[in-house]
Each structure stands twice: as C-alpha cells, then as structure tokens.
Amino acid sequence: MFTVKAVSMYIYLDSVLSLTRFNTVNGGLWMTAHYQNLRKHRVSIPFHYYSVTTSTLDRNCYFSDFNNARVLINTLKAIEDIKARTICFVVMPDHLHWLFQLQDKVPLATLMREVKGKSSYLINKSASSKRKIWQPGYYDSLIRSEEHLRDVSRYIIANPLRAGIVKNVRDYPYWDCIYL
C-alpha cells in the first residue's frame, strides 16, 4: 500500500493555463480551485470569439420579468459592433449565455463589467431599488474553431428547451442568433 502525507499535483484543464490543484493531506484527497489564478490568466484576444455565462445573485429569477429581460437585451444590443459582435445569446430567468466576437482593444473583463453594471443600473433605476443583480465573476470559454462556434451556438439557443421552459425554441422570447 502506498501512502502520501502531503503531495501537490497540478493538472492543466485546458491549454489556457486553467489550473486546479489536487492535494493529498493525511491520506485524504481534496480539491481547491484557484479562482484568482483563473482570473489572472484570462486572455482577451481582439476579434476572437468567446462564450460567456453569468448568473444572477443567489440565482434569483430577475429575468422572468419581461422588462428586466428587455433591459439586458438592450444593453447587449447597445454595445453591438462597438465592443462586441453578438453571434447569439439567451437570457434565462437566472442567467445569461452570450456568444460574441470581442472587438479591438476591449478586454473581456471590461466588457463584462460594463454589461453587468449597465444592466444592473437600469433595472434598479426602473424599480427604484439598489439591489445587487449579478453574482461576481463569470465563466468564459475561448472558441477554438468554426465547429466549436456552431456547437456552442446550438447549445446556447437550446438552453430554454433543456430547462423545460418551452417545447419549441420559437416560443421563448429572450434569445437571438445571427444564424437563424
């Protein structure tokens, strides 16, 4: 039998320095995700495609409300072709999936901060409140090929179907895709 008191092993989850550290301490295995490291190594490459998912705070269903969903959609449309070129998006009751091409000299973190900040401000303004709408952070994925772009587009648009919200994607009002 092999025993280890303390060992660290680094495993690269993808080719962009996403790092998770597995440790064995006193014979037990535990995993700690280095979210700060993920953020530090996030790459913003002009004119590349990104898929982003971001959730509302405590997964509150703010976007079940038509007006809130429209505020978020209008926020995405307002930056169209200036900071990001939208390929597709779907606004779910408690999160956003967005596939876009980043434009020149706009870091991904700046773009996400602007979308979340502007939509929060406008939603709170219309409701005369000061609640926090979004969870901090977001999940992003760099699109690596045309096939990956197509597959992610299909995944995003089919999200309301998989969630059981509608039986046909045409019945869901909060999505758009340049391919359809």
Side-chain angles (χ1 to χ4, degrees):
M1 184 164 146
F2 184 83
T3 59
V4 177
K5 293 199 178 194
V7 173
S8 292
M9 176 174 55
Y10 294 92
I11 299 174
Y12 287 92
L13 299 176
D14 63 69
S15 62
V16 186
L17 296 177
S18 296
L19 192 59
T20 301
R21 190 169 93 193
F22 291 87
N23 288 330
T24 57
V25 177
N26 297 329
L29 181 66
W30 56 275
M31 182 174 88
T32 304
H34 293 274
Y35 296 109
Q36 296 293 346
N37 287 341
L38 289 174
R39 213 174 332 157
K40 286 179 189 173
H41 298 294
R42 184 170 273 152
V43 178
S44 293
I45 305 171
F47 305 108
H48 277 71
Y49 295 92
Y50 290 87
S51 172
V52 172
T53 302
T54 188
S55 298
T56 59
L57 186 64
D58 299 327
R59 300 299 293 241
N60 286 318
C61 294
Y62 292 122
F63 303 116
S64 293
D65 178 275
F66 176 81
N67 293 323
N68 291 346
R70 290 305 310 163
V71 164
L72 179 54
I73 291 167
N74 289 337
T75 300
L76 296 177
K77 300 264 184 200
I79 62 167
E80 184 66 26
D81 294 328
I82 298 167
K83 297 181 179 176
R85 184 176 146 251
T86 297
I87 305 304
C88 67
F89 68 84
V90 64
V91 177
M92 298 297 286
D94 62 353
H95 65 281
L96 166 69
H97 291 281
W98 184 27
L99 177 61
F100 58 89
Q101 182 184 34
L102 196 60
Q103 296 302 296
D104 192 25
K105 299 180 183 174
V106 180
L108 182 58
T110 302
L111 176 67
M112 291 307 297
R113 187 171 41 254
E114 183 175 324
V115 167
K116 292 165 84 171
K118 185 175 181 184
S119 61
S120 292
Y121 170 78
L122 293 171
I123 288 168
N124 281 322
K125 184 179 174 185
S126 68
S128 298
S129 75
K130 292 184 180 182
R131 64 187 173 197
K132 191 171 179 181
I133 304 295
W134 298 101
Q135 281 187 19
Y138 54 90
Y139 172 79
D140 67 282
S141 174
L142 179 68
I143 304 300
R144 303 184 191 293
S145 67
E146 285 291 324
E147 182 180 337
H148 189 202
L149 183 72
R150 185 192 66 230
D151 292 346
V152 170
S153 296
R154 288 177 178 163
Y155 171 84
I156 288 172
I157 299 308
N159 208 273
L161 295 171
R162 283 191 309 281
I165 297 172
V166 293
K167 295 204 184 291
N168 188 320
V169 86
R170 292 182 199 129
D171 298 332
Y172 194 72
Y174 312 128
W175 68 276
D176 196 10
C177 183
I178 64 170
Y179 299 127
L180 300 174

